[in-house]
Amino acid sequence: MKVLAVHPGPLMYTKIYLRLEPLGLELVAQASRQAGHDVQLIDLQAETHTDYFKIVDRWKPDVVAFSCNYLANVPEIVDLAKLTKEKLPQSFILVGGHSASFVAQDFLEHGEGAIDCVLKGEGEAALPQLLLAIAHDRKAVTKVPGVVTLDGEGPPPRFVERLDDLRPARDLLRHRRKYFIGVLDPCASIEFTRGCPWDCSFCSAWTFYGRSYRTVSPDKIVEDLERIEEPGIFIVDDVAFIQSKHGIDIGEAIARKGIKKQYYLETRGDVLLRNKEVFTFWKQLGLRYMFIGVEAIDEAGLKQHRKRITLGKNFEALEYARSLGITVAINLIADPDWDRKRFAVIREWCLEIPEIVNISVNTPYPGTETWHTESRKVETRDYRLFDIQHAVLPTKLPLYEFYEELVKTQQVLNQKHLGWEALRSTTRIAAGHLLRGQTNFVKMLWKFNSVYNPKLQLSDHAKPIKYQMTLPPAPQETVNPKILYIHHAPGRQGRAIDDVTERFVEETRMGASA
Ligand code: B12
Ligand code: SF4
C-alpha cells in the first residue's frame, strides 16, 4: 500500500529557536517500509499545506498517518484529515503520537468519521500490524493493540521488543538542511534511551511509557551516528545520561570510531552532579549545549512542580556546567498568578547569570497529574493555546498585562542571545553557516518580535474555536497513576538502571507511582 506519513506544522517555539526532524514519525515510517509498503513522509514544519495536498492529489495514498505529539496541533490535523477524506474517500486515515494517545476519543469525535482510528503508544510494532489489517480486513483493525476507533478499542498498546531493532527513515525527509538548534545548523536527532523513571506532576513523558526506561546499545547508536551527515546532533532523551555506564560506553564507542559531531542534550541538575565524569567526557567528544529543567528559582516553586531537587543543587549544577565550558539553557515555569513584581525579580535574576533562560507558562496537560489535581479552572477549550506559551489558567494580572510582562521578560532574556548582540559573539560561526548555505541560525536571530508579541498572543484567545477540548474532571487531591498510563507500568524490571541509580531516582522523585 501507499502510506503517507505526516508531521504537522510549527508552533510558536519552533518558529524561532529551533526546528527538529520528526524522529518518531521517521521510526514508524521505516517500520512500515520494512513491512513492504511504499512510504512517503512530509514534515509541515518545513513544508506547506499546499505541498501536502500536491502529494495527496498526485500520489493518492491508500493510508495517511499523522503524528500528533503536541496537543496544540490537534485542530490542524483534524482539518487536514477532513479535507483529505473528501478528496480520497477510500483512504484510511489514522493519527498516532504522544498527545493523540491521551485524547484519542476526542480526536475521533472531532474527525466526524474522517479519522478512522487513533493508534495509541509506540508506533513501530503496531503500525505494520494495523496496515496488514487495513489491507486485508478493515473490520479487524480493532484487534490491533493500541487501536481506538469510534466503534471500539483494541487491546492495550505493547512495547517494541528491542529498541536496537529500530531505525529511523532519515532518507525520507525532503529538506534535511532545514533542521537546526541555535548554532547547530544543520542538526539531526537521535535517541539513546526511551522513557523517564521520575514522576514530575506537570509532565507526561513518564505517564506515556508507564515510568519505564529502556536503552539503545552503544554499537547501534554508533551505527546510526555514522549514517548521519549533519554535524549537529540533538539527543531527544528526556533526561540524558541517567546511568553513568551507558553514557561512558556510548562515548567510548564514538571515540573508537573517531566520530566528530557537536551535541545538544537535556538533563536534570542532580543527574549532572551525580555523573560528572560522563558530562566531562562528552564535552571532549563535542557536547556543546545542555538544557537543564530548573523550573523555578525558589523552593516553593520547585515544590509546586514536584521537583525534589534543592535550589542549591540546581545552582551547583549550573556552576559545574559553566566550568566545563558548555552553553547551558534553563527553563523556568511562569505561573499565571505571577504579578509584575514577580516577573521583575525573574528578569533581574536572569540578567545576572550567563545562561540562556527560556520561560514557559504553567499549563496542565491531559496525561499529567496536574490535569487531575489543578484546582484552578482551565479557562479555554482551544487546543491551540496549549503550547506552554499561552495562559490557559486564570491570570492574576489582566491577560494582556500578563502577556506584556511575559514577553518583556522573554525579550530581556533574548537580548542576551538573539539579535546584534548574539551575532557579535557568534560572528565567526554565523559567517561559516552562511558560507555553507545554512541560513536557519542567522534568520532566527531577528525573528523574535514578529512571533512573540503580547497583542498577537492576546488575539489568539479571541480566535473562533472549531474543536472544543474536553475540560479536566473535578480536581482531586491525589491521582492513581494507573489511569494516566498509556503503556502499562512494568515496574522495576522495566527500568534499565542499576540498583544504586534506582535508589537515587527513588530519593529524588515524588513517589506518586509504583
Ligand atoms: C524532542 C522533543 C521536542 C523537540 C521536537 C521534536 C519534533 N520535531 O518532533 C523540540 C525541542 C523541538 C520540542 C519542542 C516542544 N515541545 Co517537546 N518534546 C520532545 C520530547 C522530549 C521527545 C520527543 C521525541 O522525539 N521522542 C522520541 C521519539 C522516537 O518518540 P515520539 O516522537 O514520541 O514517537 C513515538 C510515539 O509517540 C509514536 N508516534 C509518533 N508519531 C506517530 C505517528 C503515527 C502514525 C503512529 C502510529 C505513532 C507515532 O511512535 C513513535 C515511536 O515509538 C518529548 C517528551 C517525550 N518523551 O515524548 C517532548 C514533548 C512531546 N514536548 C512537549 C512540549 C510542550 C513542547 C513545546 C510546546 C515546548 C515549548 N517550549 O514551547 C515545543 C513545541 C514544538 C513544536 N511542535 O513546535 C510536551 C508535549 C505536551 C503536549 N501534550 O502537547 C512533551 C510530551 C514534553 C513534556 N515533558 O511534557 N520538543
Ligand atoms: S524528570 Fe520530570 S520533567 Fe523531566 S522528563 Fe522526567 S518526569 Fe518529565
Side-chain angles (χ1 to χ4, degrees):
M1 285 191 300
K2 289 189 281 185
V3 180
L4 177 59
V6 191
H7 190 284
L11 304 178
M12 274 179 79
Y13 203 65
T14 34
K15 280 186 189 151
I16 303 198
Y17 298 104
L18 43 86
R19 189 184 304 117
L20 289 160
E21 65 179 310
L23 192 64
L25 190 63
E26 290 170 16
L27 285 163
V28 298
Q30 177 66 10
S32 315
R33 204 157 58 167
Q34 271 167 350
H37 301 281
D38 188 3
V39 184
Q40 287 202 30
L41 192 153
I42 181 163
D43 178 5
L44 301 174
Q45 297 178 105
E47 295 194 62
T48 63
H49 284 193
T50 312
D51 297 324
Y52 165 76
F53 283 112
K54 264 190 206 150
I55 304 183
V56 168
D57 291 335
R58 289 188 193 150
W59 196 51
K60 299 193 176 13
D62 302 301
V63 177
V64 180
F66 289 98
S67 176
C68 184
N69 275 352
Y70 303 103
L71 200 67
N73 285 123
V74 169
E76 179 191 0
I77 294 175
V78 176
D79 281 342
L80 287 174
K82 285 182 174 170
L83 287 167
T84 308
K85 198 68 156 195
E86 265 173 38
K87 285 173 180 281
L88 304 172
Q90 298 308 316
S91 64
F92 189 97
I93 299 184
L94 73 124
V95 189
H98 191 94
S99 282
S101 303
F102 290 111
V103 296
Q105 198 63 37
D106 290 344
F107 233 127
L108 294 164
E109 281 162 24
H110 299 318
E112 296 169 329
I115 298 171
D116 295 284
C117 84
V118 170
L119 187 51
K120 295 201 288 187
E122 301 183 327
E124 296 98 332
L127 189 55
Q129 284 184 51
L130 176 65
L131 294 175
L132 201 66
I134 297 168
H136 300 292
D137 177 11
R138 283 203 180 186
K139 286 203 192 86
V141 297
T142 45
K143 297 201 177 107
V144 177
V147 158
V148 185
T149 70
L150 280 173
D151 303 325
E153 218 170 294
R158 290 198 199 125
F159 287 119
V160 290
E161 282 196 8
R162 280 161 28 101
L163 293 186
D164 274 6
D165 298 337
L166 311 177
R167 192 176 150 175
R170 298 185 196 278
D171 59 298
L172 287 181
L173 276 186
R174 305 182 332 157
H175 300 281
R176 287 206 64 91
R177 297 185 77 81
K178 291 214 170 177
Y179 301 97
F180 78 105
I181 174 161
V183 295
L184 305 191
D185 178 13
C187 184
S189 298
I190 195 165
E191 190 181 31
F192 291 173
T193 63
R194 197 176 273 189
C196 177
W198 278 272
D199 56 358
C200 304
S201 60
F202 58 92
C203 179
S204 53
W206 63 283
T207 61
F208 185 81
Y209 293 112
R211 244 193 101 220
S212 63
Y213 178 74
R214 290 162 295 159
T215 53
V216 183
S217 72
D219 288 349
K220 283 287 161 192
I221 290 169
V222 165
E223 251 178 52
D224 197 12
L225 275 174
E226 280 184 312
R227 282 192 294 261
I228 295 176
E229 281 178 16
E230 288 82 352
I233 303 285
F234 180 100
I235 303 167
V236 300
D237 301 16
D238 292 307
V239 183
F241 304 144
I242 296 175
Q243 181 73 61
S244 159
K245 185 174 178 328
H246 189 235
I248 296 280
D249 288 351
I250 302 167
E252 283 174 349
I254 289 174
R256 272 197 302 275
K257 290 278 181 184
I259 297 171
K260 297 260 181 293
K261 301 275 187 199
Q262 294 200 321
Y263 302 91
Y264 167 105
L265 60 78
E266 308 198 354
T267 196
R268 289 173 52 111
D270 48 8
V271 170
L272 172 64
L273 290 176
R274 181 171 184 261
N275 297 333
K276 283 183 179 168
E277 69 290 356
V278 187
F279 294 90
T280 313
F281 182 30
W282 272 78
K283 163 70 185 164
Q284 292 160 23
L285 294 170
L287 176 57
R288 177 111 201 227
Y289 279 108
M290 190 171 355
F291 188 96
I292 301 180
V294 168
E295 328 302 5
I297 57 165
D298 58 9
E299 297 286 357
L302 278 180
K303 207 165 165 213
Q304 182 186 357
H305 304 305
R306 294 174 66 98
K307 284 256 167 170
R308 231 165 81 181
I309 176 171
T310 61
L311 264 191
K313 279 263 176 222
N314 268 339
F315 294 147
E316 199 186 324
L318 291 183
E319 195 66 54
Y320 183 66
R322 254 176 242 158
S323 76
L324 288 178
I326 296 171
T327 307
V328 183
I330 61 171
N331 184 59
L332 295 183
I333 303 180
D335 198 275
D337 75 3
W338 282 13
D339 55 16
R340 287 191 187 276
K341 213 166 125 206
R342 179 84 191 157
F343 275 108
V345 169
I346 296 291
R347 281 194 291 272
E348 212 169 292
W349 182 80
C350 294
L351 283 175
E352 282 166 13
I353 58 163
E355 279 73 31
I356 300 170
V357 183
N358 175 58
I359 299 213
S360 53
V361 182
N362 184 11
T363 306
Y365 273 110
T368 62
E369 254 188 88
T370 2
W371 184 249
H372 297 265
T373 54
E374 176 60 63
S375 55
R376 287 171 287 181
K377 186 173 169 288
V378 172
E379 298 246 292
T380 173
R381 300 188 63 183
D382 191 344
Y383 289 100
R384 294 166 298 185
L385 300 179
F386 285 73
D387 63 351
I388 68 176
Q389 305 298 322
H390 289 85
V392 303
L393 293 171
T395 50
K396 188 184 255 174
L397 287 170
L399 190 56
Y400 182 72
E401 288 177 34
F402 176 82
Y403 282 132
E404 258 183 349
E405 285 295 319
L406 179 69
V407 172
K408 189 164 141 197
T409 310
Q410 286 165 328
Q411 229 156 15
V412 168
L413 308 181
N414 275 293
Q415 265 161 18
K416 297 199 303 191
H417 303 285
L418 300 179
W420 286 108
E421 199 46 47
L423 193 59
R424 246 200 308 276
S425 55
T426 52
T427 311
R428 201 177 50 79
I429 301 166
H433 285 343
L434 289 172
L435 281 176
R436 284 185 282 114
Q438 284 301 130
T439 54
N440 297 315
F441 169 63
V442 179
K443 275 189 200 150
M444 161 197 107
L445 296 174
W446 277 276
K447 259 185 161 174
F448 182 83
N449 290 338
S450 66
V451 177
Y452 283 77
N453 172 332
K455 283 201 187 95
L456 288 180
Q457 263 149 294
L458 187 70
S459 69
D460 288 337
H461 287 258
K463 285 186 181 155
I465 307 174
K466 215 161 149 189
Y467 307 111
Q468 307 243 356
M469 235 175 98
T470 301
L471 289 171
Q476 294 155 272
E477 286 261 307
T478 53
V479 49
N480 180 350
K482 279 194 186 136
I483 66 155
L484 304 175
Y485 291 145
I486 295 299
H487 283 277
H488 82 279
R492 172 70 183 98
Q493 56 162 13
R495 289 188 284 278
I497 47 180
D498 60 29
D499 288 341
V500 184
T501 307
E502 172 78 6
R503 275 203 296 281
F504 160 70
V505 171
E506 269 313 300
E507 282 158 17
T508 46
R509 76 183 182 96
M510 287 310 288
S513 55

